[in-house]
Each structure stands twice: as structure tokens, then as C-alpha cells.
Amino acid sequence: MSLLKYIHLIPKGYSEVLYQQKKYGITRTDFNSGKSIKVFAKELGGNNFISMNYYITRTSERLKPCEMPNQKVIHFMKNIELT
């Protein structure tokens, strides 16, 4: 499954997910008719967070994490459980 499919599993706006048995508040915001997506997740009661932008162009899709490695974002997105 592509990363975009995982992103689309997250409802727009605020929701809560589980990641490694910890609860996170997560916000998905779409811009430019869905061609630009921002995802921000914060561990509730902790200090871990995930922040990323995802861009869709005519020729490609690009993940742009905010000050963290791509792999951290990808692992989070592929392993969250919607609550």
C-alpha cells in the first residue's frame, strides 16, 4: 500500500490513534484540492510527535517530513491504529 493510501485512512480534521500502545492526537489538513496534505500527531501525555507534508504533482508524490527522518514518518503511518 502506498503512503498516500495510509494518509487517506486518517479522517480530515482531528482524531485519535494508537501507535506502539500509546495514544496520539492526530490532525490531517488537506490543501489545494487534496494535492497538499499536512499531518501532525502528538503523543497524548508524552513528548513524541510526527509532522509531515505530502505533495502530489502531475508527475510524482513527495513526502516532506518536518525535522525528522522519512523512516520515522513512514513507520508511524504504516503502524497506527484508528480508535
Side-chain angles (χ1 to χ4, degrees):
M1 186 182 308
S2 78
L3 188 58
L4 183 60
K5 289 183 182 178
Y6 287 102
I7 293 169
H8 282 157
L9 292 175
I10 300 167
K12 292 178 187 175
Y14 179 85
S15 55
E16 293 181 353
V17 297
L18 290 175
Y19 174 69
Q20 297 182 338
Q21 291 84 43
K22 295 179 181 172
K23 191 177 271 193
Y24 283 72
I26 190 166
T27 303
R28 174 182 149 200
T29 308
D30 292 9
F31 302 95
N32 303 316
S33 301
K35 300 295 182 193
S36 175
I37 304 166
K38 177 166 184 62
V39 175
F40 180 81
K42 171 101 174 69
E43 180 184 352
L44 301 176
N47 58 10
N48 194 29
F49 70 94
I50 297 292
S51 183
M52 59 160 271
N53 292 295
Y54 198 82
Y55 301 102
I56 303 163
T57 68
R58 280 184 254 152
T59 58
S60 67
E61 296 178 11
R62 294 248 164 104
L63 169 64
K64 294 289 187 179
C66 301
E67 301 181 22
M68 61 190 58
N70 283 2
Q71 285 309 111
K72 180 177 181 178
V73 173
I74 292 168
H75 189 270
F76 179 86
M77 293 301 299
K78 289 185 174 182
N79 291 285
I80 58 174
E81 299 173 40
L82 298 173
T83 59

